[in-house]
Amino acid sequence: MYAIDVLIQGYPGKSLCHGGLGWSTIALLRGHGRTILIDVGAFAVRPEFGRQLKAADCDPASVTDVVLTHAHWDHSVNYTLFPNADVWIGRVEMDWATSVPAGFNPLPELYVRDLARHPKLHLLEDGERFLDGFTAHLCPGHTPGCLVYRLEGNEHPVVFSGDAAKNRAELLSMATDMTMDAGASQASLDRIWGLWRQVPGTLLIPGHDLTMRLDPSGRPAYIGQRRAGIAAWFSEDLAVMEEFDISAPRF
């Protein structure tokens, strides 16, 4: 079995005035002789990411695999911090991402270009089994090549939904925010629900929310407690900061 630690907890929110918030989930898995990261976050997360890796006694050089759900900046750019890792991403995603010109969009064009030349890049197909216990499932909409990963072999299966299903609200409403194709996203949500319901007790780890399990009524129930906040300087004293707790209550 893999030991699973969520190093960075995804957050189901948006910035109103300052562009993308980008607080996305990063999960660490260890087992079967591998040290695996599912998504690797954005630049701003690096200090906390480093602290969490150290707390988990995980040297970045020991990471064997970086598994990306898609190519957007808030999930992908930190692959460069793991020099010995194989990098896994969908073939459809890379074909699309490398064809998009630089623009005001969430693709980090220089990193996409670099990733396409990565000597240890592996391009995954829909339904492909890889590593030990993982299967890739193409779930387009948010991007054309989003992959959802299902892990078997642990006590309970795990579905990593990335941004194909970013949060509990998307799963329950069957609607998505920031989609390139609403119809494709709805079909992908159907597919994710099918993967989740396949085995009772299956965990779902989304791109921007807490880990969830289906309760006896079949509704998503959070596991754990959300932690999120902002501190700001509004006074004339650098030592004085005002803190804003944006954790929100448990459901």
Side-chain angles (χ1 to χ4, degrees), residues 84-159:
N84 299 319
D86 288 21
V87 182
W88 305 79
I89 193 171
R91 182 181 298 279
V92 172
E93 184 74 357
M94 284 303 291
D95 286 348
W96 164 72
T98 54
S99 72
V100 177
F104 293 91
N105 60 61
L107 283 173
E109 59 274 357
L110 299 182
Y111 280 77
V112 168
R113 189 184 309 166
D114 179 77
L115 181 58
R117 300 191 298 261
H118 195 287
K120 300 179 77 174
L121 178 67
H122 302 269
L123 299 177
L124 294 165
E125 308 290 351
D126 184 26
E128 183 173 345
R129 294 181 178 273
F130 67 107
L131 297 175
D132 281 307
F134 281 89
T135 307
H137 299 270
L138 182 62
C139 289
H142 183 69
T143 67
C146 273
L147 288 180
V148 166
Y149 299 106
R150 186 171 188 269
L151 171 65
E152 298 175 290
N154 274 23
E155 181 180 0
H156 301 288
V158 185
V159 174

Side-chain angles (χ1 to χ4, degrees), residues 11 25 47 51 69 80 84 106 120-121 170 181 202 228:
Y11 186 76
T25 303
R51 284 190 287 269
T69 58
T80 59
N84 299 319
K120 300 179 77 174
L121 178 67
E170 290 191 342
D181 184 329
T202 294

Side-chain angles (χ1 to χ4, degrees), residues 7 28 30 35-37 49-50 52-65 81-85:
L7 300 184
L28 171 68
R30 287 177 284 195
T35 298
I36 302 166
L37 289 167
F49 192 7
Q52 292 298 326
L53 285 168
K54 185 175 182 179
D57 194 25
C58 179
D59 184 341
S62 73
V63 173
T64 59
D65 302 272
L81 303 180
F82 306 98
N84 299 319

Side-chain angles (χ1 to χ4, degrees), residues 189-228:
L189 286 168
D190 283 333
R191 189 173 194 187
I192 290 164
W193 272 103
L195 293 170
W196 200 2
R197 290 172 172 145
Q198 193 170 328
V199 177
T202 294
L203 301 174
L204 186 141
I205 301 179
H208 292 270
D209 213 340
L210 289 170
T211 301
M212 290 172 268
R213 179 183 281 126
L214 295 177
D215 67 17
S217 70
R219 289 176 61 84
Y222 286 134
I223 297 173
Q225 182 70 47
R226 181 179 295 113
R227 294 178 58 250

